[in-house]
């Protein structure tokens, strides 16, 4: 059975959130929800996530899962908010434990912050299966951008996270802690082995001015036209290109706040004695212009 898919685009972070469901009145999963965040004021908002909830309620859906394709560096996740509103389970890849270890050290997080993934309800491994109502879902580990990156294959739909973008944009960067260009290339080749009718749902699109954002791509488009891995692009060429390109990229605007929240499954850091929650800024620790 193939799923119904509704997409929600956040132009502030170029991110797609998806509601995947079997039928009206049935069961659903939410993939990669966005918590709005203003970096100038450090103020959060659930406006984007609440639009997702409006759709869920309008279609009388029971949300079983909130699925993270990875711990994002470009937006904060609204997983905790949606969990409170729906009672759904929050899931991510088992590699989150490595991500948590790295960023607990970078941010100097509180000693009691656990790095065993317990903040999430389910840690998926490659090949795991689960149900969304009458839909059957399968997990494909697609590391390279991050240790914990997953693709969720649900019927003829694959939610690919930050592996490939629109064909003219290419592929995800690999210069974050734990990133690996060879692993990303191999992960993308695994995606290219999916059935030819598979619909690829992108986590991000960065459209030029002349077109709107595209949520969906086809395997044929990616195989033929992806500017980084399409055609006959071989692994060595890809690794050289990706490594050189990433050396020129600035850190994502929300990298520091996003990781502190996303490794907590969307919960904000605990408040101090005054009741205020704080995000931490490690000085001179990221790449970029000196």
């Amino acid at each position: 059975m193939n799923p119904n898919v509704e997409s929600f685009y956040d132009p502030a972070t170029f991110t797609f959130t998806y509601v995947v469901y079997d039928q009206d009145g049935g069961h659903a999963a939410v993939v990669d929800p966005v918590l709005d965040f203003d970096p100038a004021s450090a103020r959060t908002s659930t406006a984007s996530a609440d639009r997702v909830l409006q759709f869920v309620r309008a279609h009388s859906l029971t949300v079983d899962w909130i699925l993270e394709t990875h711990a994002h560096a470009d937006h904060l996740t609204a997983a905790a908010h949606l969990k409170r509103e729906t009672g759904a389970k929050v899931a991510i890849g088992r590699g989150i434990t490595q991500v948590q270890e790295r960023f607990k050290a970078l941010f100097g997080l509180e000693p009691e912050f656990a790095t065993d993934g317990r903040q999430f309800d389910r840690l998926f491994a490659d090949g795991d299966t689960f149900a969304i109502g009458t839909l059957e879902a399968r997990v494909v580990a697609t590391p390279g951008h991050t240790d914990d990156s997953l693709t969720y294959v649900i019927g003829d739909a694959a939610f690919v996270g930050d592996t490939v973008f629109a064909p003219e944009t290419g592929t995800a960067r690999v210069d974050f802690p734990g990133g690996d260009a060879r692993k990303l290339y191999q992960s993308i080749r695994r995606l290219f082995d999916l059935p030819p009718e598979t619909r690829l749902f992108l986590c991000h699109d960065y459209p030029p001015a002349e077109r709107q954002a595209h949520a969906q791509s086809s395997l044929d488009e990616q195989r033929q036209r992806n500017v980084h891995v399409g055609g006959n692009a071989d692994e060595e060429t890809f690794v050289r290109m990706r490594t050189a390109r990433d050396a020129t990229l600035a850190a994502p605007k929300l990298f520091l706040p996003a990781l502190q929240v996303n490794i907590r499954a969307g919960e904000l850091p605990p408040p101090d004695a005054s009741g205020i929650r704080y995000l931490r800024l490690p000085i001179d620790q990221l790449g970029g212009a000196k």
Side-chain angles (χ1 to χ4, degrees):
M1 183 175 177
N2 294 325
N4 299 290
V5 181
E6 185 72 13
S7 65
F8 301 81
Y9 186 64
D10 174 42
T13 62
F14 308 99
T15 302
F16 282 105
T17 296
Y18 298 100
V19 177
V20 190
Y21 62 106
D22 53 4
Q23 58 189 328
D24 284 357
H27 292 257
V30 178
V31 183
D32 291 335
V34 172
L35 180 70
D36 304 301
F37 181 77
D38 176 12
S41 65
R43 183 168 292 278
T44 62
S45 165
T46 61
S48 293
D50 290 340
R51 285 193 288 274
V52 174
L53 288 172
Q54 289 172 4
F55 177 87
V56 164
R57 290 163 181 160
H59 291 262
S60 302
L61 299 173
T62 298
V63 181
D64 296 333
W65 296 96
I66 300 160
L67 304 174
E68 299 284 5
T69 55
H70 61 293
H72 306 274
D74 42 26
H75 70 271
L76 283 65
T77 178
H81 172 65
L82 292 180
K83 179 178 179 176
R84 284 189 286 271
E85 292 292 323
T86 66
K89 296 179 180 178
V90 181
I92 200 167
R94 285 187 182 174
I96 189 62
T97 59
Q98 299 170 60
V99 178
Q100 287 176 325
E101 288 175 1
R102 289 191 179 97
F103 286 102
K104 179 178 182 177
L106 177 65
F107 292 119
L109 298 184
E110 66 276 9
E112 58 269 28
F113 177 79
T115 59
D116 59 4
R118 69 181 67 178
Q119 299 85 352
F120 298 83
D121 299 298
R122 179 78 179 269
L123 301 183
F124 283 127
D126 186 50
D128 282 349
T129 59
F130 60 101
I132 305 167
T134 57
L135 299 171
E136 296 181 359
R138 175 169 59 92
V139 173
V140 179
T142 45
H145 174 60
T146 63
D147 294 308
D148 59 332
S149 293
L150 297 178
T151 290
Y152 297 101
V153 179
I154 306 168
D156 69 345
F159 299 86
V160 301
D162 288 17
T163 49
V164 294
F165 302 138
E168 69 269 24
T169 307
T171 59
R173 62 196 295 169
V174 297
D175 58 328
F176 300 153
D180 187 303
R182 292 187 186 281
K183 287 182 180 179
L184 180 61
Y185 181 88
Q186 293 159 9
S187 292
I188 293 169
R189 289 298 169 188
R190 286 193 74 187
L191 294 181
F192 285 1
D193 288 336
L194 291 171
E197 67 275 11
T198 302
R199 298 177 287 164
L200 301 185
F201 288 92
L202 313 176
C203 187
H204 301 289
D205 190 22
Y206 307 92
E210 61 268 20
R211 72 164 174 84
Q212 295 182 331
H214 292 167
Q216 188 176 330
S217 181
S218 71
L219 275 175
D220 185 63
E221 285 179 313
Q222 295 290 346
R223 291 185 184 121
Q224 299 300 322
R225 297 196 297 108
N226 187 288
V227 294
H228 295 167
V229 289
N232 297 317
D234 63 85
E235 183 173 329
E236 294 302 325
T237 301
F238 175 80
V239 170
R240 287 195 299 271
M241 177 281 303
R242 190 70 264 177
T243 302
R245 180 179 176 83
D246 290 351
T248 70
L249 300 179
K253 180 174 64 174
L254 296 182
F255 183 94
L256 294 174
L259 267 299
Q260 292 179 71
V261 172
N262 295 346
I263 62 174
R264 300 177 188 269
E267 296 289 355
L268 299 177
D272 70 359
S274 70
I276 299 175
R277 302 175 188 271
Y278 291 91
L279 296 169
R280 299 169 68 89
L281 299 178
I283 304 300
D284 292 335
Q285 295 302 304
L286 299 184
K290 296 292 187 181

